[in-house]
Amino acid sequence: MSITPQPGIMDIALYVGGQSKLEGHSSPLKLSSNENPYGPSRHAVAALEGSAATLHLYPPTDHAALRAAIAEIHGLDAERIICGAGSDEVLQFLAQCYAGPGDEVIHTEHGFAMYPILARAAGATPVEVRERDRVVDTDAILAACTERTRLIYLTNPGNPTGTMIPVETVARLADAIPDHVILVLDGAYVEFADGYDGGAKLVESRHNVVMTRTFSKIHGLGGLRIGWGYGPREIIDVLNRVRQPFNLSNSQLAAAEAAIRDTGFTEHCRSENARLRVWLRDRLLDLGIACDESHANYVLARFADEAEAAGCDAALRAEGILVRRVGGYGFPEALRITVGDEAGCARVIDAIARFKGAA
């Protein structure tokens, strides 16, 4: 008998991240992965350095200090928080624990590419739901729900669109989904959106809503892979039963706690992103490039067609600038551009303007 993987595994298309290297350019301007252009908090760096003396020690299994810090900063219940190696791991726990063969997992057409991967890895069937003008359509999600549906993964703000649906709409969706379905609110970019708690109040008032967050974006710790989830105690208890006891190192825990407590740095990153995001979008519109209002740390620049997008990408690469082609997300005619610092934003707009002028 031959050795074969579980059903669904070979149907998984490998995830492709944003490119970070560019031939001929030793230090390209990387605007392809939605990274924080200001890096991590200096307090997080100091905590990471200080943790070096504890490399021989196993980390705590309960993540108590980090969960307490998250709860304090966000006004949450620490007992309802779970930490993971990036929010991806928490999303994986949910699929592993609540979906399997014969079940369905709903995601929207422009959602995070990991959602169908997580569904298939658990043996479940991913169900893609159309969006409407690059915005999540909650009526379409509800229409796709069946007795087999177990999870709904919803990115808000959306990636790569940058669009978002208001909390009132999310609440109506949470109220209308079947009782056996868990609504998972992926809030990787929540901190960049004004007036949105990522669904925390919904989690506290409903038995089947979970939210996830990450330290990779606004906190600038993408290289350390730290995330967390917040949900009903019963669900968090289930997820902790499959979580590896030492899934986060002492270094990760120390850096994350210092990062989330440095609220001044977080606010600086948020305000600068908001200012430059508006500027970047306005300049794209001035150049005749379609671009929706974004609520994240990137914009989706939509060109006339795929050929123009490819041409602009090539022109940017020639100038040492990396952005993200998003054909795999259903936008062959678009480029997702991370909001960099002021110099980075000016540089990418100048390069696009030269391309448009030459074209």
Side-chain angles (χ1 to χ4, degrees), residues 22 30 55 120 133 194 221 247 264 279 305:
L22 186 56
K30 187 184 177 189
L55 293 180
R120 289 190 172 98
D133 297 326
D194 291 333
L221 297 180
N247 64 325
W279 183 89
D305 51 35

Side-chain angles (χ1 to χ4, degrees), residues 141-277:
I141 291 175
L142 290 172
C145 287
T146 71
E147 292 182 355
R148 297 173 59 191
T149 306
R150 294 296 176 265
L151 297 169
I152 299 170
Y153 285 124
L154 175 61
T155 319
N156 200 35
N159 176 21
T161 62
T163 61
M164 69 179 295
I165 56 176
V167 65
E168 296 81 11
T169 303
V170 179
R172 286 197 295 272
L173 175 63
D175 289 338
I177 61 175
D179 195 57
H180 64 274
V181 176
I182 299 174
L183 175 61
V184 183
L185 303 176
D186 182 349
Y189 300 95
V190 162
E191 289 90 350
F192 299 106
D194 291 333
Y196 181 44
D197 68 355
K201 291 184 177 61
L202 291 178
V203 170
E204 292 174 345
S205 61
R206 290 161 177 80
H207 76 285
N208 59 344
V209 178
V210 175
M211 76 171 189
T212 62
R213 304 280 278 273
T214 184
F215 282 88
S216 296
K217 305 306 178 184
I218 202 165
H219 296 297
L221 297 180
L224 282 183
R225 310 306 303 129
I226 312 154
W228 56 280
Y230 189 59
R233 291 195 183 194
E234 295 78 6
I235 291 179
I236 297 302
D237 175 68
V238 171
L239 303 187
N240 272 317
R241 293 172 186 272
V242 300
R243 178 179 63 82
Q244 294 282 339
F246 303 114
N247 64 325
L248 292 179
S249 68
N250 287 320
S251 298
Q252 289 170 293
L253 293 168
E257 182 180 351
I260 202 164
R261 290 192 182 281
D262 192 352
T263 55
F265 179 75
T266 303
E267 175 55 27
H268 168 74
C269 296
R270 189 205 64 77
S271 61
E272 282 298 282
N273 177 80
R275 178 177 69 88
L276 291 168
R277 180 179 62 200

